[in-house]
């Protein structure tokens, strides 16, 4: 539960020191090294993601916490691709509310991303089907003439 008296746009610290240590220990190797070297920044990042997840806030609300929305979203994607969010959720506690909210946010994001990919693939396929090579060629008489005819 977030502490009372915090700013509505400033994410509170959701993680205890013991949970943060467990998160650092469970992160993939390269991420874990970077997170240990800049522990305060990475802890604020993880707290921001948990805050967005628990309160179901848009990414743009995080910008008040020294992060730009695009920056935090890009890092969220990198961590998702590296499988780091599963490690974070397991370190927090598999049955905790924070872990459930985080897993839900990641799952919804994956579902949304796959829907967008499928939609894009459908649009590309429809575009290619509409612009077949036969339709792309002009149908005028000069198009059918050979260069030697010299129209």
């Amino acid at each position: 539960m977030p502490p009372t008296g915090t700013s509505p746009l400033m994410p509170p610290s959701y993680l205890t020191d013991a949970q943060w240590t467990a998160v650092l220990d469970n992160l993939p190797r390269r991420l874990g090294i970077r997170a240990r070297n800049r522990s305060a920044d990475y802890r604020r990042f993880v707290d921001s993601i948990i805050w967005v997840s628990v309160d179901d806030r848009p990414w743009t609300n995080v910008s008040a916490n020294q992060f730009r929305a695009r920056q935090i979203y890009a890092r969220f994607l990198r961590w998702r691709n590296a499988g780091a969010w599963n490690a974070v959720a397991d370190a927090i506690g598999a049955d905790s509310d924070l872990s459930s909210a985080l897993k839900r946010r990641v799952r919804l994001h994956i579902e949304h991303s796959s829907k967008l990919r499928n939609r894009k693939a459908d649009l590309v396929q429809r575009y290619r089907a509409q612009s077949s090579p036969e339709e792309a060629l002009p149908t005028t008489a000069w198009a059918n003439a050979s260069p030697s005819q010299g129209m």
Side-chain angles (χ1 to χ4, degrees):
M1 212 23 59
T4 58
T6 58
S7 168
L9 292 180
M10 186 67 95
S13 181
Y14 283 95
L15 300 175
T16 65
D17 290 339
Q19 286 174 321
W20 178 242
T21 302
V23 166
L24 289 174
D25 292 341
N26 284 351
L27 286 175
R29 188 176 188 281
R30 289 178 61 196
L31 273 178
I33 291 170
R34 279 186 259 151
R36 279 186 189 82
N37 290 338
R38 294 183 23 213
S39 185
D41 291 339
Y42 277 81
R43 183 171 181 169
R44 192 168 47 250
F45 163 69
V46 171
D47 277 329
S48 297
I49 297 298
I50 292 172
W51 179 66
V52 164
S53 301
V54 168
D55 294 343
D56 202 25
R57 293 180 180 265
W59 295 106
T60 53
N61 282 3
V62 179
S63 61
N65 188 30
Q66 300 176 342
F67 290 111
R68 289 189 306 267
R70 182 78 179 135
Q71 180 184 21
I72 195 167
Y73 181 70
R75 188 182 286 181
F76 170 82
L77 291 178
R78 284 193 304 268
W79 280 45
R80 186 201 73 186
N81 293 340
W85 293 120
N86 290 333
V88 171
D90 292 343
I92 292 172
D95 297 332
S96 72
D97 292 338
L98 298 179
S99 177
S100 299
L102 182 60
K103 286 179 180 179
R104 180 179 45 82
R105 183 68 173 219
V106 171
R107 180 179 32 82
L108 290 174
H109 186 271
I110 290 170
E111 290 172 2
H112 181 71
S113 296
S114 73
K115 285 179 186 177
L116 289 178
R117 260 192 313 273
N118 290 342
R119 184 172 169 219
K120 183 178 176 182
D122 289 345
L123 289 173
V124 167
Q125 187 176 14
R126 272 194 279 163
Y127 174 77
R128 286 182 178 158
Q130 289 174 353
S131 60
S132 64
E134 297 81 31
E135 292 177 8
L137 295 175
T139 57
T140 59
W142 62 268
N144 294 330
S146 68
S148 62
Q149 289 177 341
M151 290 192 92

